[in-house]
Amino acid sequence: MPEPILSIEGLDAHYGDFQALYGLSMQVARGEVAAVIGANGAGKTTLMRSVSGLIRNQPQAIRFRGQPIGGLRADQVAALGIALVPEGRLLFPSLSVEENLIIGGQMGRPGPWNLPRLYDLFPILRERRHVPATALSGGQQQMVAIGRALMSNPDLLMMDEISLGLAPVVIKSIYEALPGIVGEGLTAIVVEQDIAKALSVSSRVTCLQEGRVSLSGASAQVTRDAISRAYFGV
Ligand SMILES: Nc1ncnc2c1ncn2[C@@H]1O[C@H](COP(=O)(O)OP(=O)(O)OP(=O)(O)O)[C@@H](O)[C@H]1O
Ligand SMILES: [Mg+2]
């Protein structure tokens, strides 16, 4: 693999006495789309929260562009260029679409993303920019959540289950935006419950099972059987 932008080595994570990740290792190459799959409770969100600084870890367990970031706070991680589209979107309900997007840009990192570019990516958001974010459909809210993350001009964009609860046609339209996003030089990690979707958009896939990596490989080469075993442990 070319020089990884994100390198995770021996990552543990705990919620109180409960251990959710066990010595997890994973590399993500610059410019690729990496997929993370796994059953409910496997630890996907915990992994995203660890990389984002929402869960603090050993500094050396997570490196971004070679720099240890495992011990940094979420705001420090964001300032380095990592953005998370969180599970459940977590939009500000009292704010309009545009206000939610502007908040994402407050860090002020330079880069290609701004309101006009975002509205070109998701034209429906331009039409609905003054509407309260929570008045939108689920798919449109997901576009706002992705847009808010892009507004920080990240180098690494992590998306946690962006298709959850959305209709297939909506999922398709959201994923159609991905090449235009990654084309800007970004690296992306998608957490997906839809395995076929995960494999089709990514170059590498990592499967988690009970807090451990159960499979890691090139998305084009993993077999259905290997995935079933890694996913369900059968
Ligand atoms: N705040 C928390 N406190 C205690 N345990 C938690 C907490 N959040 C998650 N867990 C536990 O940690 C484990 C991993 O959860 P996590 O949310 O990372 O899984 P996930 O793969 O994202 O699952 P899902 O597909 O349901 O989103 C699970 O056993 C879960 O019950
Ligand atoms: Mg989750």
Side-chain angles (χ1 to χ4, degrees), residues 39-46 48 87 160-161 164 191:
N40 289 344
K44 305 176 301 293
T45 295
T46 304
M48 296 298 102
E87 193 174 51
D160 194 352
E161 304 225 17
L164 196 67
V191 171

Side-chain angles (χ1 to χ4, degrees), residues 14-16 18-21 37-49 55 87 160-161 164 191 193 208 211 231:
H14 299 84
Y15 295 104
F18 178 77
Q19 185 162 0
L21 298 180
I37 61 173
N40 289 344
K44 305 176 301 293
T45 295
T46 304
L47 171 60
M48 296 298 102
R49 293 172 59 85
I55 300 173
E87 193 174 51
D160 194 352
E161 304 225 17
L164 196 67
V191 171
Q193 42 147 13
L208 303 188
Y231 204 93

Side-chain angles (χ1 to χ4, degrees), residues 159-177:
M159 297 179 271
D160 194 352
E161 304 225 17
I162 53 173
S163 45
L164 196 67
L166 302 181
V169 57
V170 178
I171 298 171
K172 185 163 172 282
S173 75
I174 289 180
Y175 270 103
E176 275 167 2

Side-chain angles (χ1 to χ4, degrees), residues 109-141:
R109 279 173 54 86
W113 293 104
N114 49 38
L115 284 174
R117 282 292 308 275
L118 263 181
Y119 290 148
D120 289 345
L121 184 72
F122 296 124
I124 186 70
L125 298 188
R126 179 181 278 120
E127 274 171 47
R128 312 216 67 193
R129 64 187 182 277
H130 299 308
V131 171
T134 44
L136 302 187
S137 70
Q140 292 166 3
Q141 288 189 36

